[in-house]
Structure formats: structure tokens, C-alpha cells
Amino acid sequence: SKSRPGLRMAAATLKPRPWVKIAQTTFFSGVAAGTAGLSYWQLQRRQWKLALVSEREATLHAAPEPLAAVVPAAARADGVAPEHEFRRVECRGTFDHRQQLLMGPRSAPAGVDAAPPGAKPPPGGAGMTGWDVITPLRCTDGGAVLVNRGWVPRDQVDQVSQPVGELCVDGVLRCGEAGNRFTTNDAAQRRFVYLDAEAMADATGSSPVVLYETPSQRPSPGGGGWPLQRPLSSFLEFHVKPETHLVYSATWASLSGLMALMTAIRLRR
């Protein structure tokens, strides 16, 4: 048949050239190897995050140390060193309520539906926003530190307790927070959206050492009950959780498997 030579020529024309097959195979196998590496990297990140969570949990549940043993009074002008963040400390002193600051708005801590004894439960519970109460503590060993005493709903600010006299504060050391272009503090007006330890220290005549007070059974004068301290578990929260790394790893592994299949298909043709 005269048509057969034409069909053979058409088939030869449609058949992929060797270099095209090599290029496609190289591409698919390269993507498969790269995504497999990313999957393994995410598994390593998960193990690192789990170790970090365990380490921080042990630090948070350790017995509190005297603040002077961790951050001596002479070194407090430099703030909290990164290696000391999340350590439990205790400090004796007197709150200076005249220099109190409100930081926020902030979301309610876990368990806010169970309001402190004597306090009015906030309508809306955990869906509400409010303020973190920052109060300088004039320490008996000299100087002052900033204490985040806890969270209060917007409509309960006038119910914030103001303990007087010398007391012992048990807290978690923090380094502060980094701002961004969407959040700005106005130190001149004493309005703070994020924890700028240096600016708050200047506004209150304190040092840039920040303690987040831990939940306690200290009675609140007047039965106010607020503010509500955040539980220790809140300091174990990360932007990327260990289980998220596992999801990322599975995603990369699936893509690697798909690319490996594509490579096998190209090799068989």
C-alpha cells in the first residue's frame, strides 16, 4: 500500500527524540530527589521541634530561681539574654500601680471562661479581646522589672486588682516581641500593641527585664480577680507545631512519589 511509507514517516516524526526523553527523565528524577530531600528535612525539623518543646517544658516546670541569680541587678539594664528566656524566677518587691500599662488588644488566654474567683465572667469567653496588664515591680534588691500580670477583658479594666505591700512574684522571663509595619507603639501616649521592653522600661522608669507572672493563689484585694495569668502551657505554643512539620513532610513525600512515577513512565517509553 502506498499509504504505509507515509504512516511510517508520521510515526517516526511523532516518536520523541532521544535528547527529549533524557531531558524529561532528568527533570522528573531531579524533582523526585529534591522533594524527597525536603520531606526528610521536615522530618528532621519535627524531631528538632519536639526536642525544643521538651526542653522548654522542663525549663518551665523547674523550681523558680531567685531573679538575682539569673539576672543580677547590675546587669538588668541589658534586659533578658536569649539563653535565659522562659526560665522561671521569683522576685520580691512592691508593685508600682501608678506606672501601670495596658498592652494590646490581646486574645483571651486558654480557660478564660473560668473567670478568677470573685470576678465577673466575660461575655463571649475565649472569643473576646482585652489587654495584658504590665506593672513595674520595685525590687527589694534594687531597681525595677516589668511584670506582665495577666489578661483582662476590655470592659473589666476597672476591676483589675492592685495588690499592695511587699510580695513575691513568680514569673517566666521573656525577651520581648518584634514589631512589624502593621503594628506600632506610641510610647509618648503610653499605648503599646506589642511588647517593646526597652520602650516600656523608659516609660515606667524600669529595666527592660520582663516577667510573665504565673498563675497563683494570691488573693485579690476587693475581690476583683483580674487580671488572669496565662497558663504555662501557653509558652509551649509555636507558630509551626511539630505535627505541621509532619504534614509538610507527607506533602513533599507525595510529590516525590509522583515525580518518581513520572520518571519510571518516561523510562519505559
Side-chain angles (χ1 to χ4, degrees), residues 155-256:
D155 61 349
Q156 298 289 309
V157 173
D158 58 345
Q159 298 297 318
V160 170
S161 64
Q162 295 190 338
V164 297
E166 184 178 311
L167 44 82
C168 183
V169 175
D170 180 343
V172 176
L173 288 172
R174 294 302 309 273
C175 291
E177 300 169 344
N180 56 60
R181 61 180 180 175
F182 302 108
T183 57
T184 56
N185 290 332
D186 187 350
Q189 298 296 322
R190 298 171 67 86
R191 294 173 182 168
F192 292 91
V193 180
Y194 64 93
L195 184 62
D196 184 339
E198 293 285 349
M200 287 182 171
D202 290 340
T204 59
S206 175
S207 68
V209 173
V210 181
L211 277 68
Y212 273 62
E213 188 174 8
T214 57
S216 67
Q217 300 299 318
R218 186 172 65 240
S220 302
W226 300 107
L228 182 67
Q229 291 83 28
R230 297 181 184 274
L232 290 177
S233 58
S234 66
F235 299 106
L236 296 173
E237 296 175 356
F238 294 86
H239 292 299
V240 181
K241 299 180 179 180
E243 52 268 28
T244 305
H245 288 294
L246 196 60
V247 172
Y248 290 162
S249 177
T251 301
W252 286 121
S254 299
L255 184 57
S256 178

Side-chain angles (χ1 to χ4, degrees), residues 80-100:
V80 177
E83 62 268 23
H84 292 154
E85 191 171 25
F86 300 107
R87 288 179 67 171
R88 290 273 300 278
V89 296
E90 57 184 12
C91 181
R92 298 197 67 85
T94 305
F95 280 123
D96 185 357
H97 298 289
R98 296 171 301 173
Q99 296 294 334
Q100 176 179 288

